[in-house]
Amino acid sequence: MTTPILEIRELCVSYGKVEALHHINLKVSAGQIVTVIGPNGAGKTTMLSAIMGLLPSKGEIEFQGEVQRNIEVEHLVAMGMTLVPEKRELFGEMSVEDNLLLGAFQRYRHGDRDEGKTMDQVFGTFPRLKERRMQLAGTLSGGERQMLAVGRALMAKPKLLMLDEPSLGLAPLIVREIFHIIADLKKTGVAILLVEQNARAALQIADYGYVLETGSVALEGDSRQLADDPRVVETYLGLGGSGAIKKE
Amino acid sequence: MDLQIALLLGQDGIVNGAIYALLALALVLVFAVTRVIFIPQGEFVAYGALTLAAFQAGKTPGTLWLLLGAGALVALIDTVIAVRAGALGRLKRIALWDLVLPAVVAGLVLWLEPGDLPLVAQVALSLAIVVPLGPMVYRLAYQPLAEASVLVLLIVSVAVHLALVGLGLLFFGAEGSRTTPFSEAQFNLGTLTVNGQTLWVLGASAVLIVALYQFFGRTLYGKALRATAINRVGARLMGISTTMAGKLSFTLAAGIGALSGILIAPITTVYYDTGFLVGLKGFVAAIIAGLVSYPLAAAGAILVGLLESFSSFWASAFKEVIVFTLIIPVLVWRSLTSHHVEEEE
């Protein structure tokens, strides 16, 4: 494996007295898609929020070779980390174009005035957003909203793109389209950390995967190995399986 | 009442309404971005007017010392935080904005003898003293509580208001002041006489409102403020920090407040505590707009201004009562028509 762009060691997150994440270790290398799968409530969103600095955490987060102390969202965004949250968090009363422009806010703040070019690239990836560029974000369909959320994140020219359940609430055809686009994004060199309940689709495009259950990593491995692992097949890919993987 | 009196009252009402409109816009802006109900808005009105009046009286305004003191305090706090976090890169910025800028303003004021300067320069210096107090007040009073509930922020606002009124009394004394008008011109429109200052107030308000509209509609920083108002988490994920947005909106609010004060100072005598009532009327207008809509806030402000001037003619003793009673039917109407929105968690 090449040098990791993101490495988290012994990450713990607590809500009050309840620990929601226990000693998570995880690595994402440049140009890689890494997926975290697991059932609802396993702590996947909590993990992303903690990495992004939206939640206080214990443990070490190393981003681009630098251990991040006093993690601040704004600082991480400026360094090239972006998160597309589960709820999209779009600016509903603003146009598609303005939403995208704001994605480049940190770049603009640091004197980069090249956002027009990036926007053309985003429109190349999501032609549908170009058609709707003057429309208010709040009036878009579910799939378009997800595209806008991803496009907005790409406007920051991220080194690491974190996606939280991009398939959530979308029709199967749109899910397929989104996953195609995610797989394509990898070719542009951005590292992707993909959190998904849709394990089958996620493992298909990912290089490496982690299975998160009740706040701990239950399994990890190359995504192909994981996809063949009988425990994963039974719980997440098979038709009949239910219940969690028992830690060995 | 004949037509002439009605026109006169109408003119009065619109002039006051224009000022209330500016203050209402600032209140809506600050609330939308930071959830702070900005009661101290009125103190910026008074500080702006009285700082200018002090210049014209040949005195050094006390607000200058407040600027230096607040700047030093902010610099001290932020330096300690930066050093603890090991973020020494921040020190340059802190020194520039909180120490160098106030010192330069102080140097200019003490060296130039503003009493003899042209009005434009006096106004510019007054703004240079009062406007930076906005972000400093945000830094000292609100930033540590940015995630607190609306109620807690409101309590802080009351405290800041009382502190600033007290300081205003200390700086400027209990006597009111008036400044020289921007223009002595008078125009006759039929039976109606319009004086130059009226046109200044209306013109400046219109220019300021258009400028704000352009700022929010066209610039990325303006859009960033709107984004923060619409979706705080989304904005943070774009790297728009809550602190930056808060300071920027307080800077704008302080600027609007100080400028409003400077505009009305030649028309009405401004006392150290005048700002509160003026700001409160802007607040009534902002409430009419539900603290969200800018156009409604401006319309509400004109309504408040007109109501005030006509009620001062018919029942001058009850003028304030009538204006503030307006808020009751508005609140009833709002609570009946709009669905209740739970405060965000």
Side-chain angles (χ1 to χ4, degrees):
Chain A
M1 218 197 264
T2 48
T3 46
I5 191 158
L6 174 77
E7 184 165 3
I8 63 177
R9 287 181 285 267
E10 301 292 314
L11 184 78
C12 300
V13 177
S14 306
Y15 291 105
K17 283 186 181 164
V18 185
E19 197 176 74
L21 282 185
H22 325 292
H23 308 282
I24 306 281
N25 291 288
L26 178 146
K27 247 188 232 179
V28 184
S29 296
Q32 230 188 5
I33 298 183
V34 171
T35 187
V36 177
I37 58 177
N40 230 340
K44 304 187 298 290
T45 299
T46 302
M47 185 186 79
L48 290 187
S49 303
I51 295 174
M52 197 72 223
L54 292 171
L55 280 178
S57 59
K58 282 186 206 138
E60 247 181 9
I61 297 174
E62 192 176 315
F63 182 54
Q64 297 194 54
E66 259 180 61
V67 176
Q68 302 296 318
R69 294 188 304 146
N70 304 301
I71 308 159
E72 271 174 25
V73 186
E74 297 77 27
H75 179 62
L76 290 173
V77 173
M79 278 185 77
M81 189 191 284
T82 55
L83 168 66
V84 178
E86 194 179 340
K87 293 183 200 153
R88 314 333 184 210
E89 310 285 6
L90 297 173
F91 309 120
E93 293 137 63
M94 297 173 85
S95 70
V96 167
E97 193 175 85
D98 282 350
N99 270 269
L100 290 175
L101 271 179
L102 285 163
F105 182 78
Q106 271 295 340
R107 284 173 57 197
Y108 185 89
R109 217 175 166 205
H110 290 93
D112 180 350
R113 295 289 183 276
D114 223 10
E115 69 274 358
K117 217 164 119 192
T118 319
M119 196 181 297
D120 287 340
Q121 287 166 0
V122 169
F123 283 149
T125 312
F126 300 105
R128 218 155 344 148
L129 292 183
K130 191 170 185 179
E131 291 165 27
R132 308 223 183 276
R133 65 192 295 172
M134 290 305 160
Q135 208 170 310
L136 295 186
T139 65
L140 297 178
S141 72
E144 289 162 349
R145 292 163 70 89
Q146 185 59 54
M147 289 175 191
L148 179 55
V150 176
R152 189 178 64 168
L154 289 175
M155 287 296 292
K157 278 197 187 164
K159 306 263 184 341
L160 172 70
L161 176 65
M162 303 195 286
L163 300 163
D164 194 356
E165 306 268 4
S167 74
L168 194 76
L170 301 184
L173 227 74
I174 313 257
V175 171
R176 198 182 301 171
E177 195 181 340
I178 298 265
F179 273 82
H180 266 298
I181 289 166
I182 295 171
D184 278 345
L185 283 178
K186 184 185 157 182
K187 292 174 197 150
T188 64
V190 59
I192 295 170
L193 179 57
L194 171 65
V195 159
E196 258 299 340
Q197 274 196 70
N198 186 340
R200 186 185 301 274
L203 288 174
Q204 256 170 25
I205 60 166
D207 301 290
Y208 199 83
Y210 294 83
V211 179
L212 197 65
E213 280 179 0
T214 55
S216 309
V217 174
L219 264 181
E220 64 174 290
D222 284 338
S223 51
R224 230 167 265 159
Q225 282 173 4
L226 274 186
D228 289 338
D229 191 303
R231 290 166 296 178
V232 175
V233 171
E234 193 192 326
T235 326
Y236 297 107
L237 304 176
L239 293 168
S242 65
I245 294 169
K246 297 288 171 286
K247 233 181 164 180
E248 289 159 30
Chain B
M1 176 191 288
D2 58 20
L3 181 69
Q4 193 171 357
I5 293 176
L7 280 173
L8 211 69
L9 291 174
Q11 185 194 341
D12 226 36
I14 288 172
V15 169
N16 286 334
I19 295 296
Y20 300 151
L22 288 178
L23 297 177
L25 293 184
L27 286 167
V28 171
L29 164 69
V30 166
F31 182 74
V33 174
T34 63
R35 299 173 307 128
V36 169
I37 293 172
F38 194 41
I39 299 171
Q41 174 79 76
E43 276 59 71
F44 285 91
V45 176
Y47 280 15
L50 293 172
T51 301
L52 180 64
F55 282 148
Q56 293 186 349
K59 291 184 219 153
T60 304
T63 36
L64 185 62
W65 313 123
L66 181 62
L67 176 69
L68 289 170
L73 196 56
V74 171
L76 180 70
I77 294 172
D78 278 347
T79 303
V80 169
I81 291 174
V83 169
R84 272 196 196 153
L88 298 178
R90 287 189 215 149
L91 293 181
K92 215 166 77 183
R93 256 183 101 86
I94 295 170
L96 179 68
W97 287 105
D98 300 325
L99 296 175
V100 177
L101 180 81
V104 168
V105 173
L108 277 176
V109 168
L110 297 175
W111 171 63
L112 279 176
E113 297 190 12
D116 308 325
L117 290 177
L119 185 67
V120 187
Q122 292 175 338
V123 169
L125 278 178
S126 307
L127 290 176
I129 292 177
V130 179
V131 176
L133 289 173
M136 288 173 185
V137 164
Y138 178 77
R139 173 63 192 90
L140 293 173
Y142 297 98
Q143 190 179 314
L145 292 163
E147 303 302 322
S149 69
V150 171
L151 181 63
V152 170
L153 292 170
L154 174 65
I155 295 167
V156 174
S157 279
V158 173
V160 172
H161 156 71
L162 290 173
L164 289 179
V165 169
L167 286 170
L169 178 60
L170 180 70
F171 295 150
F172 303 109
E175 289 93 56
S177 306
R178 251 183 213 237
T179 59
T180 47
F182 293 8
S183 130
E184 306 278 3
Q186 292 218 328
F187 307 91
N188 291 311
L189 295 173
T191 56
L192 185 69
T193 309
V194 181
N195 60 39
Q197 190 63 28
T198 303
L199 293 180
W200 263 104
V201 171
L202 293 179
S205 305
V207 167
L208 212 55
I209 286 172
V210 171
L212 281 175
Y213 186 75
Q214 297 289 331
F215 173 71
F216 287 119
R218 306 216 174 224
T219 68
L220 194 61
Y221 276 90
K223 286 173 184 173
L225 282 189
R226 272 168 62 207
T228 306
I230 296 170
N231 187 329
R232 193 175 293 264
V233 175
R236 288 192 70 196
L237 288 173
M238 303 300 106
I240 302 164
S241 88
T242 313
T243 303
M244 191 277 299
K247 280 189 182 164
L248 185 53
S249 55
F250 268 66
T251 307
L252 285 170
I256 291 170
L259 205 60
S260 305
I262 287 168
L263 285 170
I264 56 165
I267 309 176
T268 40
T269 307
V270 178
Y271 297 84
Y272 72 98
D273 61 351
T274 300
F276 181 58
L277 268 187
V278 179
L280 216 50
K281 283 166 195 160
F283 183 68
V284 172
I287 288 289
I288 292 175
L291 283 174
V292 279
S293 161
Y294 293 96
L296 260 183
I302 301 291
L303 175 70
V304 170
L306 287 173
L307 190 67
E308 183 188 18
S309 81
F310 280 93
S311 53
S312 69
F313 177 73
W314 276 311
S316 69
F318 294 104
K319 156 181 116 165
E320 315 287 15
V321 178
I322 293 171
V323 169
F324 291 118
T325 308
L326 174 68
I327 211 166
I328 293 173
V330 166
L331 286 177
V332 169
W333 165 67
R334 286 208 75 86
S335 68
L336 289 178
T337 53
S338 65
H339 58 281
H340 180 65
V341 185
E342 288 289 336
E343 189 183 313
E344 57 190 299
E345 72 278 8

